Amino acid sequence: MISLPYNSPEEEIHHPLFSEKNIRVYLKRDDLIHPFISGNKWRKLKYLLQKANLANKNHLVTFGGVWSNHLIATACAAAKSGLKSTGIVRGEPINTDSLALCRLFGMKLIFADRERYRDKQRLFNLYFQDDPDALFINEGGYSEEAAKGCAELVEELDQDYDHIFCACGTGATAAGIINGLRQQHSSSCLHAITVLKGDFLKDEIDRLLLAPSDFSFHSDYHFGGYAKTTPALINFIADFASHTGILIDPVYTGKMMFALFDIARKDLFLPGSKILAIHTGGLFGLLGMKDKF
Ligand SMILES: *Cc1c(COP(=O)(O)O)cnc(C)c1O
């Protein structure tokens, strides 16, 4: 079974805004965990791989879009673990840089149009009902196992933070961190930044909580919806990269950092606050939008 190679560092980042507002901002560099099983994806897959192992399933079947970081991570993790993998991909057949990586890692790809893609269990049954080796892994790895792996991030922290920021696609990572904070009796406030339009992710986070817990849910930073951007977001990402030497992407971490900066500008952090942002990795999303930079 694969295991996390090391604890990712917490790196302080500097920006004139942070000095002006007298706050300190750190990035948990989960993007450095692995180039392909990047960021939260390693944490999310850890216990799903253990589940596959215990159930003697040697074929991971999962779901994602044509730029899905989760598909790349699953393909690579399966290859490392000696397992087969299949990705059921939303949309018409197309090749993207991300899907090319999936294929390189030996993942078989099946395309399903948006209508069919909606019912994932049905698709799984359609293709793999008779395959006793196949393990269903939900889109983005959303599961109790994923949340359990993400909770472990909290045990690694070197210091206490007043606020922790995390981008949400399925909500499993945010839920795991909230569970971890509770287990560690931490009083840090978790800020979940949804990258999708609407409030439904709040319920998806709640569903994976081990006990009802408060957190701060921000639904104003989706920039039009999943994988949608605006010139302001693109400029922000370029400004951030040129000030820090760290890349963030327009789909997830760019929106999360934008939220952090916006909240700082509005003076909603007390002076002296310590803030941690989780760099959940997933930089291949940038390749899908390289023309914008
Ligand atoms: C997959 C992904 C997320 C979303 O994580 P969830 O657990 O699905 O909410 C966030 N950031 C990046 C970079 C990702 O690739």
Side-chain angles (χ1 to χ4, degrees):
M1 224 191 67
I2 61 174
S3 58
L4 216 73
Y6 70 104
N7 288 356
S8 69
E10 289 146 70
E11 177 179 341
E12 182 162 11
I13 50 173
H14 300 280
H15 192 279
L17 178 68
F18 305 158
S19 326
E20 185 196 323
K21 301 295 181 187
N22 187 22
I23 56 175
R24 299 185 72 175
V25 177
Y26 298 76
L27 256 187
K28 173 86 168 147
R29 298 292 308 273
D30 274 11
D31 56 316
L32 301 179
I33 290 176
H34 191 277
F36 307 111
I37 316 173
S38 173
N40 57 351
K41 299 301 182 277
W42 195 313
R43 299 184 188 279
K44 289 169 77 171
L45 284 168
K46 177 178 171 184
Y47 290 104
L48 288 167
L49 287 163
Q50 189 183 70
K51 178 178 176 181
N53 189 34
L54 292 173
N56 271 319
K57 306 268 189 192
N58 65 18
H59 181 187
L60 309 181
V61 178
T62 193
F63 303 82
V66 298
W67 290 102
S68 166
N69 298 317
H70 166 70
L71 286 183
I72 302 173
T74 305
C76 181
K80 274 175 91 73
S81 313
L83 306 174
K84 289 198 296 181
S85 65
T86 296
I88 301 185
V89 184
R90 182 182 59 232
E92 301 303 317
I94 178 183
N95 203 6
T96 62
D97 299 315
S98 299
L99 292 179
L101 288 170
C102 292
R103 285 200 186 87
L104 264 171
F105 289 124
M107 181 176 256
K108 294 239 164 51
L109 301 177
I110 299 173
F111 291 87
D113 63 41
R114 275 153 205 278
E115 189 55 41
R116 287 202 312 147
Y117 185 81
R118 244 172 242 143
D119 194 343
K120 300 186 180 56
Q121 192 64 55
R122 189 167 157 269
L123 277 171
F124 178 84
N125 293 345
L126 179 67
Y127 292 104
F128 302 106
Q129 195 159 28
D130 301 324
D131 180 353
D133 291 334
L135 178 71
F136 174 95
I137 297 181
N138 209 339
E139 183 178 43
Y142 181 87
S143 58
E144 282 171 21
E145 289 84 359
K148 184 176 170 195
C150 292
E152 293 175 353
L153 178 152
V154 178
E155 297 161 29
E156 294 173 14
L157 298 181
D158 297 334
Q159 48 177 331
D160 290 330
Y161 297 93
D162 301 297
H163 303 276
I164 299 182
F165 276 69
C166 166
C168 299
T170 67
T173 303
I177 295 171
I178 296 166
N179 289 336
L181 288 170
R182 204 183 170 86
Q183 280 154 2
Q184 302 290 314
H185 308 289
S186 163
S187 58
S188 302
C189 174
L190 188 283
H191 295 258
I193 314 297
T194 176
V195 303
L196 293 99
K197 216 187 258 183
D199 284 332
F200 67 98
L201 266 189
K202 170 125 196 352
D203 296 332
E204 298 291 294
I205 296 172
D206 281 330
R207 270 175 52 198
L208 293 180
L209 295 184
L210 297 174
S213 308
D214 282 337
F215 59 96
S216 193
F217 184 78
H218 300 270
S219 54
D220 308 331
Y221 297 103
H222 56 72
F223 292 84
Y226 185 71
K228 298 278 198 308
T229 65
T230 65
L233 178 64
I234 296 296
N235 288 337
F236 170 77
I237 289 169
D239 176 73
F240 183 86
S242 66
H243 271 94
T244 61
I246 297 170
L247 292 179
I248 51 179
D249 77 278
V251 181
Y252 294 104
T253 51
K255 293 180 180 180
M256 181 272 297
M257 284 309 298
F258 189 102
L260 193 161
F261 274 67
D262 191 51
I263 291 166
R265 270 197 197 93
K266 292 175 174 159
D267 289 314
L268 297 173
F269 297 124
L270 292 176
S273 292
K274 269 199 293 185
I275 301 151
L276 179 72
I278 312 298
H279 196 316
T280 38
L283 291 168
F284 288 105
L286 267 173
L287 294 178
M289 301 202 188
K290 55 182 182 281
D291 299 346
K292 294 188 191 285
F293 290 93

